[in-house]
Amino acid sequence: MKDSCFNEFDPNALNVEDALSEILQSTGIKKTYELVKLKNAYDRVLAKDIKATQDIPNYKNSAMDGYAVNFTDRSKKNFSFKCIGESYAGHPFMGDVKPNNAIKVMTGGLVPNKCNAVIMKEMVIEKGNMIEVKSKIAKNQNIRFPGEDIKKDDLVLSKGKKIDEIDIGILASLGKSELYVYSKPIVGFFSTGDELVSLGNPIIRSQVYDSNRYLLHGLLQKYPVRIKDFGVVKDNMTSITKKLKKASLECDLLLTTGGVSVGDADFVKDALNKIGKINFWKIAVKPGRPLAYGKIKKCLFFGLPGNPVSVVVTFNLFVNASIKKMSGQIIRKSLSLEARLESDIKKRKGRKEYKRGILSVDKGKLFVKCLSSQGSNILSSLKKANCYIELDETISRINKGAFVKVIPFELESEHYD
Ligand code: AMP
Ligand code: MG
């Protein structure tokens, strides 16, 4: 037992941090990788470090349309240059530019070695093949130097980076047309529950549409995984065991929802115990306390709760980290902020709680409102919210005006820890 306050909740429940570290410890990285075309690399995970094979830019060039000059006297405020040629992007001037000579240059055009400044076109008076400049010139002004963006041999992208559009742009600028990415892990799921009806069929009172499968499908879209939907299974030991066995053979990670608590119709834990191994099944967290985590042969298994908000919260807290690790991604902590609470909050000691909240800014200060509907069945509360309010195990009550930890949806830290 880690903390005396755990007695007030459930002494057998793991705390969030311990559960997460156990999950990460037992999740292996997918070992296979594949070569993909750059355009197909979006949202895939880089399997090998990438170093720059050249400088970017790779030649000295102009940041402006104007004139590249070879000037000598820095103290002067009045210059006259003889224009001896021109350098367009893709059409360089290859001649010698002697002192007091200039060439016309376009943005991106090569600036000859002996030129030590570029003067904007707007600052120049053109007189035949002569130009006049009536201002001071700073050495190297408006010149872009080789390697000022990326230097040859720099580490450009690290293994484990999920490729985004900027990465694709950078890799293209380096001429990289193909790269190695990790193969996509296969993530499967099914729902459990006698009350569940698949979409497309009518329901009667006492039945509900199987929304969790759609929820999970949506949650998984953001990951570089292959998704397998194994449908819905009735609340009975034989069917659940059979489905777990079959699906686990086809997946690297398997998720179920429902049937994982202590009710008379909750068979997921027992089925897992029969054909695999349970690492733990209770976490001191709300929403989401019953969560069975284990393995069936080589397949990782998460038995998520049935209530939809619990599905989302436990997915974000635990499954997210496991999939990221499995797919080779570097795992970063969620970015958290401190905001002033707009009304009192009550909670039970001994468990971590993730309340849904609305974060706002007023005169540069952060405020957070705790939504009134916090039931784990109320999915619309996640729609209204834009953050979680994270309340630690030791907290029992927080008053209006106090600072609380807030995790905005979809914000990550730049750092890895
Ligand atoms: P359980 O964890 O099986 O006791 O389910 C808890 C609550 O979540 C019950 O109200 C279920 O009807 C609901 N629930 C379970 N599975 C689903 C599902 N796939 N889609 C929508 N609601 C569900
Ligand atoms: Mg159920």
Side-chain angles (χ1 to χ4, degrees):
M1 225 173 302
K2 303 256 158 190
D3 193 325
S4 60
C5 66
F6 268 56
N7 288 323
E8 292 173 42
F9 184 54
D10 184 338
N12 297 316
L14 266 186
N15 69 36
V16 170
E17 289 71 24
D18 289 347
L20 199 55
S21 81
E22 187 161 341
I23 288 166
L24 287 175
Q25 224 168 30
S26 47
T27 301
I29 298 179
K30 185 97 184 162
K31 295 224 166 54
T32 50
Y33 43 81
E34 54 202 61
L35 191 62
V36 294
K37 297 261 180 250
L38 183 58
K39 269 190 191 165
N40 300 330
Y42 185 80
D43 262 0
R44 300 297 299 272
V45 183
L46 197 61
K48 293 184 179 184
D49 288 346
I50 292 186
K51 283 191 170 181
T53 47
Q54 60 174 68
D55 282 335
I56 304 286
N58 72 353
Y59 60 97
K60 185 174 160 188
N61 71 87
S62 175
M64 296 282 175
D65 294 326
Y67 290 86
V69 299
N70 181 346
F71 80 107
T72 46
D73 189 349
R74 280 208 222 174
S75 59
K76 271 170 63 174
K77 284 190 187 156
N78 217 324
F79 296 87
S80 177
F81 296 99
K82 184 178 175 196
C83 191
I84 59 160
E86 51 192 29
S87 179
Y88 283 57
H91 303 278
F93 176 82
M94 303 303 274
D96 188 26
V97 185
K98 295 199 165 64
N100 303 316
N101 280 180
I103 59 158
K104 195 173 194 176
V105 70
M106 301 299 139
T107 304
L110 183 138
V111 171
N113 273 342
K114 286 192 184 158
C115 292
N116 50 7
V118 167
I119 323 286
M120 274 170 80
K121 189 176 184 350
E122 293 83 345
M123 307 290 285
V124 162
I125 302 156
E126 295 162 341
K127 287 186 180 163
N129 68 348
M130 296 299 289
I131 57 164
E132 282 176 12
V133 181
K134 300 205 179 309
S135 59
K136 275 190 134 184
I137 302 175
K139 194 173 176 218
N140 294 333
Q141 69 178 42
N142 303 323
I143 294 178
R144 301 162 172 168
F145 283 92
E148 76 173 33
D149 182 356
I150 295 169
K151 286 205 166 40
K152 186 170 184 241
D153 296 327
D154 271 359
L155 179 64
V156 182
L157 289 175
S158 300
K159 174 178 159 174
K161 172 75 174 68
K162 189 156 99 165
I163 307 287
D164 62 23
E165 61 280 13
I166 308 295
D167 300 329
I168 289 187
I170 288 172
L171 293 170
S173 72
L174 288 166
K176 196 123 182 96
S177 60
E178 294 178 325
L179 49 146
Y180 284 101
V181 295
Y182 285 104
S183 305
K184 292 182 176 180
I186 302 170
V187 181
F189 55 84
F190 63 89
S191 307
T192 69
D194 283 353
E195 77 281 34
L196 304 177
V197 175
S198 295
L199 299 198
N201 300 298
I203 47 171
I204 55 165
R205 282 172 62 187
S206 82
Q207 293 182 320
V208 295
Y209 279 120
D210 179 5
S211 59
N212 284 349
R213 257 165 62 214
Y214 288 83
L215 199 53
L216 279 177
H217 193 267
L219 285 163
L220 288 167
Q221 300 277 316
K222 295 183 199 149
Y223 297 83
V225 297
R226 276 172 53 204
I227 303 171
K228 281 198 170 183
D229 182 345
F230 291 94
V232 53
V233 179
K234 293 279 182 213
D235 283 321
N236 80 64
M237 185 67 180
T238 318
S239 316
I240 292 177
T241 312
K242 227 167 114 184
K243 190 65 128 188
L244 279 180
K245 232 183 201 168
K246 178 189 171 337
S248 63
L249 288 174
E250 298 177 33
C251 298
D252 296 301
L253 189 150
L254 182 61
L255 307 169
T256 60
T257 67
V260 79
S261 195
V262 291
D264 291 348
D266 292 335
F267 299 107
V268 172
K269 286 193 306 284
D270 291 342
L272 175 63
N273 215 4
K274 208 165 134 190
I275 59 164
K277 176 180 165 262
I278 300 183
N279 287 40
F280 56 81
W281 71 276
K282 273 190 282 189
I283 305 178
V285 64
K286 191 186 174 202
R289 181 174 74 114
L291 180 150
Y293 174 70
K295 236 178 194 176
I296 307 166
K297 298 217 166 75
K298 283 184 184 160
C299 178
L300 280 190
F301 176 77
F302 285 88
L304 305 182
N307 277 309
V309 175
S310 307
V311 170
V312 178
V313 172
T314 51
F315 186 98
N316 288 335
L317 279 177
F318 306 111
V319 182
N320 163 65
S322 186
I323 295 182
K324 279 187 173 164
K325 178 156 182 206
M326 184 176 275
S327 58
Q329 281 182 71
I330 298 162
I331 298 170
R332 298 163 190 251
K333 257 197 181 164
S334 302
L335 198 64
S336 66
L337 307 167
E338 297 251 296
R340 220 178 255 280
L341 199 56
E342 288 186 37
S343 54
D344 298 352
I345 295 185
K346 272 199 229 153
K347 84 173 256 297
R348 270 234 323 254
K349 257 190 176 182
R351 67 186 177 201
K352 209 167 202 166
E353 289 197 15
Y354 290 86
K355 305 263 191 204
R356 280 127 276 157
I358 299 178
L359 184 65
S360 59
V361 185
D362 186 26
K363 298 191 185 86
K365 295 202 167 107
L366 292 175
F367 291 87
V368 67
K369 183 158 55 190
C370 187
L371 287 171
S372 53
S373 307
Q374 293 287 336
S376 51
N377 57 325
I378 308 206
L379 194 54
S380 59
S381 66
L382 269 173
K383 181 106 200 75
K384 287 185 196 134
N386 63 3
C387 68
Y388 289 125
I389 303 170
E390 188 188 272
L391 303 167
D392 274 343
E393 292 87 344
T394 49
I395 295 170
S396 61
R397 183 192 169 84
I398 312 184
N399 295 327
K400 179 180 172 180
F403 280 102
V404 285
K405 186 171 168 186
V406 160
I407 303 171
F409 294 165
E410 297 281 337
L411 269 184
E412 275 189 337
S413 136
E414 260 184 274
H415 308 287
Y416 299 138
D417 50 21

